[in-house]
Amino acid sequence: MAHIIKCFECHAEVDDPYVDSCPRCGGVLAIETDLDEAASLRPKDLRRRPIGVWRYAPFLPVDASHAVSLLEGGTPLYDCRALAKKAGVRSLHVKYEGANPTGSFKDRGMTVGVSRAVELGCRTVGCASTGNTSASLAAYAAKASLGCVVLLPSGKVAAGKLAQAMFYGAKVVSIDGNFDDALNVVRQLARDGTLYLLNSINPFRPEGQKTVAFEIVDQLDFDVPDRIILPVGNAGNISAVHKAMVEWKSLGWIDRIPKITGIQAAGAAPLVRAFRAGSDDFVPEGHPETVATAIRIGNPVSGKKALRALYDTKGFATDVTDDAILDAQRLLGRTEGVGVEPASAASIAGLFKLVEEGVIDSDERVVCICTGNVLKDPDTVIGNCEPIFESKASAEAVRKAIGI
Ligand SMILES: *Cc1c(COP(=O)(O)O)cnc(C)c1O
Ligand SMILES: [Zn+2]
């Protein structure tokens, strides 16, 4: 499908498919979707296709006929009545992105990004990652028979994610620095022609991530929720959700856009500070720190897009403490049987906080996007639960150990 790459900030058109930012002003890139094909369709035409990212092909910038796919998307949208009651809202749905092929929403962007790499004839792909991007890229690169290089911040990657990147055969490099440092290095490798860059700075990634928003509306039978809450790290996902909603509204498929609400961890919250100041730019955080490693980002590459999403939809942004994140993670598991990694639980922690503060009304119908699977970070889970019981191998000893 036809598409144009443009600078999000100065709107200059960009022809070179390998640049990672605007050659004129340095701004972040975006894709202008050509909606002509989609304009001749109705939602029910799409609903004849299997659910998943490629159901929404008319909104994607890569032809579905050569998609590199692991059948990503089509994740559950849980109607969490017990948790809605505890939070004090009319309804709460959890979009469970942990059910994707590699266990996080990153697969939605990666199927499109790796398909693009194949379309361009690239041989090697690469990324900097807090973990999930590398797990996803490694799997899709394997599927496409491409070489893969991933740069991870040393010592701060959850065990499940590291295991995945190694397992799918990527060259895994531990960088002496944080995510933002690793991104600078991989951008240099891309400029040198060593690899094709597949961080969310690549505008094809957010295009695939739009589909999480399409699916939410689709699964709610086009009854648009009042608010969508999601965790924010590099801010690619929140920007993609906004873009998706704008596209469907421009076609008249939906009549309004949910209030998009972003949650950051207190130790890595540059966009929350900008939002509080009413600013459309942000000051990077030099030393981001949080248990939610997937959102341990100081200089979000799509930060300006995210601020636009917050302001244009009359949404909101707030931060939550690590304790609140871990409490929310456990509560979601024990109330609804839904297991998510810490970053994902930030959306639930943010919901509780914003209801208490009166920002979210008790009458609202809310969707929280829970971005990754509980098994991604087993060490944090084990550290955050009651210790296990030890027992001799007899029924009597077990009864005694557990006190029943
Ligand atoms: C990448 C990631 C995020 C942050 O998404 P951004 O698009 O960078 O804002 C949140 N949660 C999980 C589990 C992730 O993997
Ligand atoms: Zn520009």
Side-chain angles (χ1 to χ4, degrees):
M1 193 186 76
H3 65 265
I4 302 169
I5 304 176
K6 276 192 172 179
C7 172
F8 180 75
E9 287 169 46
C10 78
H11 308 291
E13 269 189 43
V14 177
D15 298 325
D16 182 347
Y18 297 103
V19 296
D20 66 5
S21 54
C22 174
R24 196 159 85 184
C25 79
V28 63
L29 302 178
I31 287 180
E32 194 171 279
T33 311
D34 176 356
L35 293 175
D36 282 354
E37 182 195 341
S40 66
L41 299 169
R42 282 162 306 169
K44 71 171 168 43
D45 299 324
L46 292 188
R47 296 177 99 182
R48 291 196 194 101
R49 311 174 184 198
I51 194 164
V53 166
W54 295 95
R55 168 182 279 192
Y56 308 100
F59 297 88
L60 302 178
V62 177
D63 200 286
S65 62
H66 49 81
V68 178
S69 175
L70 293 167
L71 305 183
E72 51 291 317
T75 57
L77 184 68
Y78 294 123
D79 184 359
C80 295
R81 297 192 184 176
L83 198 58
K85 207 163 170 194
K86 284 192 177 156
V89 288
R90 179 141 66 110
S91 78
L92 170 62
H93 285 83
V94 165
K95 182 63 169 159
Y96 183 51
E97 290 293 286
N100 274 295
T102 76
S104 85
F105 77 84
K106 298 295 197 301
D107 294 341
R108 295 180 184 271
M110 217 48 94
T111 182
V112 175
V114 170
S115 300
R116 171 65 170 170
V118 169
E119 192 176 74
L120 289 170
C122 301
R123 306 290 317 142
T124 304
V125 292
C127 69
S129 175
T130 61
N132 281 332
T133 300
S134 64
S136 183
L137 181 58
Y140 284 86
K143 177 83 178 174
S145 305
L146 301 176
C148 180
V149 181
V150 305
L151 273 52
L152 307 175
S154 67
K156 295 285 182 179
V157 176
K161 307 176 188 184
L162 179 61
Q164 285 178 295
M166 295 168 73
F167 173 74
Y168 292 117
K171 289 190 166 39
V172 180
V173 186
S174 172
I175 295 287
D176 177 19
N178 63 25
F179 168 84
D180 304 291
D181 300 320
L183 181 62
N184 286 334
V185 176
V186 82
R187 287 176 81 168
Q188 190 58 50
L189 291 169
R191 275 182 219 122
D192 296 345
T194 308
L195 50 81
Y196 179 67
L197 184 63
L198 274 169
N199 277 93
S200 61
I201 202 167
N202 180 324
F204 286 76
R205 285 261 319 274
E207 288 301 295
Q209 284 163 209
K210 292 188 305 193
T211 60
V212 71
F214 293 153
E215 263 179 28
I216 288 169
V217 172
D218 213 342
Q219 288 170 312
L220 292 172
D221 287 324
F222 286 77
D223 189 8
V224 180
D226 298 313
R227 188 181 297 270
I228 295 180
I229 307 179
L230 69 168
V232 176
N234 265 312
N237 212 27
I238 190 170
S239 312
V241 165
H242 181 223
K243 190 168 189 283
M245 293 292 144
V246 169
E247 287 176 8
W248 275 17
K249 179 139 189 299
S250 79
L251 290 177
W253 285 18
I254 54 174
D255 55 8
R256 62 200 174 81
I257 294 182
K259 294 184 167 104
I260 295 177
T261 300
I263 312 297
Q264 296 199 291
L271 297 177
V272 174
R273 279 194 291 277
F275 178 79
R276 283 181 186 142
S279 170
D280 54 15
D281 202 356
F282 63 92
V283 180
E285 161 73 65
H287 300 283
E289 206 45 79
T290 168
V291 68
T293 50
I295 52 173
R296 184 171 168 267
I297 306 284
N299 188 13
V301 299
S302 299
K304 286 188 183 172
K305 290 184 182 175
L307 290 166
R308 175 86 58 84
L310 298 173
Y311 297 130
D312 283 5
T313 67
K314 301 195 166 44
F316 207 83
T318 196
D319 57 352
V320 290
T321 64
D322 281 0
D323 283 346
I325 288 173
L326 294 176
D327 286 349
Q329 182 191 27
R330 238 181 353 222
L331 185 67
L332 180 60
R334 293 178 185 194
T335 310
E336 299 287 349
V338 178
V340 303
E341 67 167 281
S344 312
S347 61
I348 304 291
L351 166 68
F352 276 78
K353 179 176 175 187
L354 293 178
V355 172
E356 262 163 42
E357 290 182 347
V359 173
I360 296 181
D361 195 88
S362 60
D363 209 35
E364 288 190 33
R365 293 167 311 125
V366 177
V367 175
C368 284
I369 301 181
C370 284
T371 43
N373 193 293
V374 65
L375 293 176
K376 291 284 192 172
D377 189 355
D379 300 323
T380 297
V381 171
I382 290 168
N384 191 29
C385 293
E386 302 78 17
I388 61 170
F389 302 98
E390 306 277 349
S391 171
K392 289 218 170 65
S394 80
E396 195 196 348
V398 169
R399 271 196 298 272
K400 210 170 150 197
I402 62 178
I404 56 174

